[in-house]
Amino acid sequence: MGFMEWWDGFWATYNTVIFSVGVNAMLALSIYVTLSCGLLSLANAAFMGIGAYVASLITMQAGLPFPVALAAGGVLPALVALLIGIPTLRLSGVYLAMATLGFGEVVRVVVLNMEITGGPMGLNGVPPVTEWWHIVLLLGVTVYFLARVRRSKIGRAFEAIKEDEVAARLMGVNVAGYKLLAFVIGAAIAGVAGALNAHYTFTIGPNNYGFENAVDILTMAVFGGTSNLIGPMIGSTILSLLPEVLRHFKDFRLAANGLILILVVLYLPKGIWDPRRIRAFMQRRNSGNSNNSASKKVN
C-alpha cells in the first residue's frame, strides 16, 4: 500500500476526530482568556452556539461567502458578551458561574423556540465548506493573537487581576474594563469555533450548546492547565481523543469529564502542563543524575 492510499484511509477514518481536536483547542483557548483574568464563566458554549447559528443562517439564507459568515460568527457573540458582561461581571466566583450558566440556558431555550433556527430540530443542510486548513489557520491566528496579548500591558493587567483584584484596582488597573475585554475576546473565539464546527458537521441543534458542552470546555482548559497557551491545547487534544479510546463507555463521558476535573483540581491544580512543576522535576532529575555520577567517580 502506497503512502497516498494509506493517507486516504487514515483521513477517511479519523478526519472527524482531527477536526474536533482543532475546534476544541479554540474553545479551550476561549475559556483560557476568561480564566486568565480570574473569571469563572460557563457561557462559552452559548457563545459557540450563537456563532454557529449566525454563520449557518448567513450561508444558508443570505448566501454570503464563508469568510463573511465566520466574521459574523465571531462579531455577534462578542457584541452579546459586551451587553451581558456589563451587569454580569460585577459578580465573581460561583455567582458569576451561575449567572453565565443561566445565560446559556436562556440562549438554548430561545433558540429552541425560534422558527428561523429550526426549533428543536435545529438546522440541517449547513454547507460543508470548512476545510482542515481553515481550522489550522484560525487556530494559529488565535494562538498568535493571545500570545501577543499575554506579553502586552493587557496580559499583565489580566494576571494582576487574577492574582489580587483589590491590589490591581489600587494600582490603577481598570478592573471592570479588562474583565469585560477578556469576556468579549473569549466570546469571539468561541463564536468562530462554533461557525467552523457548524460548517463541518452539516447540522446543528440547540442541545449541542447546553450545560454539558459548557462543562466540557471548562474541563479541557483546566485539565491541560491555564498558566500558558500550551496547556488548554494539550487538554483539549487529550479529551478529544479520549472518547475514541473509550468508545464503548460513551454514555459515561460527562461523568468521566467531571471526575477528571475533580482529580485535576485536587492533585494538579495547575493542570497537567505546569512549566514550573516540569522545570522543578527536571532539576531534581538532573541533580540526582549528577549525584549518582559523582558517587560512581568516588567509588
Side-chain angles (χ1 to χ4, degrees):
M1 179 184 293
F3 173 77
M4 293 305 299
E5 290 80 2
W6 174 86
W7 173 253
D8 290 340
F10 176 83
W11 181 255
T13 305
Y14 295 104
N15 62 338
T16 302
V17 178
I18 295 171
F19 272 80
S20 66
V21 166
V23 170
N24 286 339
M26 292 188 66
L27 291 172
L29 289 172
S30 74
I31 204 168
Y32 156 83
V33 180
T34 55
L35 290 173
S36 67
C37 200
L39 298 174
L40 181 57
S41 170
L42 293 175
N44 288 46
F47 293 136
M48 178 188 180
I50 294 173
Y53 272 99
V54 169
S56 299
L57 289 172
I58 285 177
T59 53
M60 294 175 67
Q61 303 292 336
L64 295 177
F66 184 47
V68 176
L70 284 177
V75 170
L76 189 60
L79 292 176
V80 173
L82 184 64
L83 292 176
I84 70 165
I86 294 174
T88 303
L89 296 182
R90 297 176 182 176
L91 304 173
S92 61
V94 67
Y95 300 105
L96 177 61
M98 292 172 62
T100 51
L101 181 61
F103 163 74
E105 285 300 300
V106 169
V107 170
R108 188 182 68 84
V109 172
V110 169
V111 171
L112 194 64
N113 290 278
M114 289 182 66
E115 184 177 350
I116 193 174
T117 60
M121 301 301 294
L123 292 177
N124 296 300
V126 181
V129 293
T130 298
E131 301 286 347
W132 65 269
W133 63 268
H134 292 143
I135 296 178
V136 172
L137 176 62
L138 289 174
L139 178 59
V141 170
T142 301
V143 172
Y144 176 76
F145 171 74
L146 293 181
R148 293 296 300 268
V149 169
R150 181 181 172 86
R151 296 184 179 93
S152 68
K153 177 184 176 181
I154 297 174
R156 292 191 291 272
F158 285 175
E159 189 66 26
I161 295 171
K162 180 181 178 181
E163 293 298 325
D164 193 327
E165 183 177 325
V166 176
R169 186 177 287 108
L170 292 175
M171 292 289 290
V173 177
N174 184 359
V175 173
Y178 281 114
K179 280 185 173 183
L180 186 59
L181 177 61
F183 196 57
V184 169
I185 292 174
I189 296 173
V192 173
L196 287 170
N197 187 65
H199 286 84
Y200 174 73
T201 58
F202 317 135
T203 179
I204 56 175
N207 292 329
N208 295 336
Y209 312 106
F211 171 72
E212 180 179 344
N213 299 84
V215 173
D216 286 345
I217 296 171
L218 178 63
T219 303
M220 288 186 290
V222 175
F223 177 65
T226 58
S227 59
N228 53 57
L229 293 170
I230 298 176
M233 291 190 288
I234 292 178
S236 62
T237 300
I238 294 175
L239 293 182
S240 298
L241 297 176
L242 196 60
E244 287 297 312
V245 178
L246 303 175
R247 185 177 299 177
H248 298 294
F249 302 96
K250 62 180 180 180
D251 294 335
F252 301 96
R253 182 169 60 87
L254 185 59
N257 285 352
L259 179 61
I260 289 172
L261 184 60
I262 293 172
L263 293 176
V264 169
V265 169
L266 289 177
Y267 300 105
L268 296 173
K270 298 291 186 179
I272 60 174
W273 183 262
D274 181 8
R276 293 183 179 178
R277 188 181 69 246
I278 294 173
R279 283 195 297 268
F281 173 77
M282 295 302 295
Q283 289 174 356
R284 289 195 300 268
R285 184 176 179 182
N286 293 334
S287 176
N289 292 336
S290 300
N291 293 334
N292 291 335
S293 299
S295 300
K296 290 179 181 178
K297 290 180 180 180
V298 170
N299 294 333

